[in-house]
Amino acid sequence: MLLIPQSMALTVNPIWMTYLIFLLLKISPMIIMHGFPYEMKLLLNHLVKEKYFNIATLNQRLRCFDFSYTEVSDKPSELDDKVLKNPGQKIRQSASKMWMLAVYLPLLIGDLVPEGCEFWDLYMLLLRICSIAASWQIQPDTIPYLSILIEEHHSKFRELYPDKTIIPKMHYMLHYPRQIVLYGPLIYSWTMRHEAKLSVIKRASSHGNFKNICFTVAKRSQHALCYHLNCGKPFLAVSLQVSTMSVEVPSAKESKEL
């Protein structure tokens, strides 16, 4: 049993606990896209074992797939056959790339999977759950339906993969209906925006300066913010990598003249 020192415990009720709409201890992390790598790896291993296709075919179709211009930056990386066969390794993709791969997987290999494949039907059930969870608007009568789908998915998973465990990220799916009732559609509180901000921080800290990493990340993040504010451009319009060199940022007027 973990004992928390009294000095670290809350001795008074924080002000945010007085608002019933914000229940800190009842908020679960909404990591909708993180349930895909585990189940997708199991699915691909089964389909390859049944000789429906091989990983080379999947990668070839992935290279030739016509992603839209808004999706090219999140185009999934090719899969490694050795990673799929190794139980100790995970599919390494960013959150946005994994989401893209999960959504487009039926279009990539759906025609190669025969009808009636229970493993494929289980994956399609997962996609249906995530499509509801990631909806911008959810009707009240959809919430009980979502609970039934999640229960059916977990029961079917235990049946098809008896030697595999339900990981915590799959367990979080059980909390989706309650979270929707309390806080509305999950897309407003999911962790994708945190993942996007984290990727910016990773790029800022990848220049080899680890003497004071917190100062480096904070300074370069502020440089990027100043650049966007001075140029008057939307934050998503420019991908900026701030170097260690001192750069004179043009004013908004000079930027328009350029």
Side-chain angles (χ1 to χ4, degrees):
M1 181 178 180
L2 178 62
L3 298 178
I4 301 177
Q6 187 175 2
S7 59
M8 298 176 59
L10 291 175
T11 56
V12 295
N13 289 331
I15 188 172
W16 59 75
M17 297 296 288
T18 60
Y19 296 93
L20 297 179
I21 194 173
F22 187 82
L23 304 176
L24 179 63
L25 302 180
K26 293 186 179 181
I27 298 178
S28 301
M30 294 298 102
I31 318 175
I32 301 176
M33 76 294 296
H34 283 186
F36 285 116
Y38 180 67
E39 191 164 338
M40 185 184 297
K41 181 178 179 179
L42 297 176
L43 172 68
L44 292 177
N45 279 326
H46 172 77
L47 298 180
V48 171
K49 183 179 179 180
E50 295 294 329
K51 298 183 179 180
Y52 297 144
F53 60 89
N54 52 36
I55 299 301
T57 301
L58 174 58
N59 288 334
Q60 192 273 336
R61 292 192 173 194
L62 191 60
R63 288 192 299 268
C64 299
F65 192 81
D66 186 18
F67 290 92
S68 67
Y69 72 95
T70 60
E71 299 170 339
V72 171
S73 59
D74 296 326
K75 181 179 179 179
S77 305
E78 295 186 13
L79 302 179
D80 190 351
D81 193 16
K82 296 180 180 179
V83 173
L84 293 177
K85 293 180 179 179
N86 190 341
Q89 289 185 296
K90 302 178 181 179
I91 299 178
R92 295 295 180 182
Q93 303 271 1
S94 65
S96 56
K97 290 184 178 181
M98 179 54 64
W99 181 264
M100 194 72 63
L101 178 61
V103 171
Y104 283 111
L105 189 64
L107 297 178
L108 292 170
I109 60 172
D111 60 307
L112 302 177
V113 181
E115 295 185 5
C117 178
E118 293 183 326
F119 295 86
W120 183 254
D121 293 339
L122 177 65
Y123 180 76
M124 297 304 294
L125 182 59
L126 176 63
L127 280 182
R128 194 183 312 169
I129 293 172
C130 292
S131 65
I132 296 176
S135 299
W136 292 95
Q137 295 181 350
I138 299 178
Q139 298 297 327
D141 55 354
T142 307
I143 300 176
Y145 175 64
L146 178 61
S147 301
I148 295 174
L149 291 180
I150 295 174
E151 181 180 355
E152 181 182 351
H153 171 270
H154 285 26
S155 300
K156 199 68 176 178
F157 182 88
R158 295 296 300 271
E159 178 183 341
L160 296 179
Y161 303 104
D163 57 333
K164 303 299 180 181
T165 59
I166 294 181
I167 60 177
K169 292 176 182 177
M170 296 175 62
H171 168 75
Y172 288 145
M173 296 169 61
L174 298 174
H175 299 281
Y176 286 177
R178 181 174 62 89
Q179 294 291 317
I180 294 174
V181 172
L182 291 175
Y183 306 108
L186 301 180
I187 198 169
Y188 294 107
S189 59
W190 71 341
T191 59
M192 181 65 85
R193 300 316 313 151
H194 301 278
E195 297 281 352
K197 182 62 177 178
L198 181 60
S199 65
V200 176
I201 295 176
K202 286 181 178 179
R203 289 197 300 270
S205 61
S206 62
H207 295 283
N209 184 1
F210 300 103
K211 182 178 293 185
N212 190 340
I213 187 64
C214 297
F215 176 76
T216 301
V217 170
K219 185 175 181 179
R220 291 176 181 173
S221 297
Q222 291 301 307
H223 282 172
L225 178 61
C226 292
Y227 174 84
H228 287 293
L229 293 177
N230 276 276
C231 294
K233 297 180 180 180
F235 286 94
L236 298 180
V238 180
S239 177
L240 176 67
Q241 292 185 357
V242 182
S243 66
T244 56
M245 300 174 59
S246 59
V247 181
E248 182 178 355
V249 180
S251 62
K253 182 178 180 180
E254 293 173 344
S255 300
K256 293 180 180 179
E257 293 177 355
L258 294 175

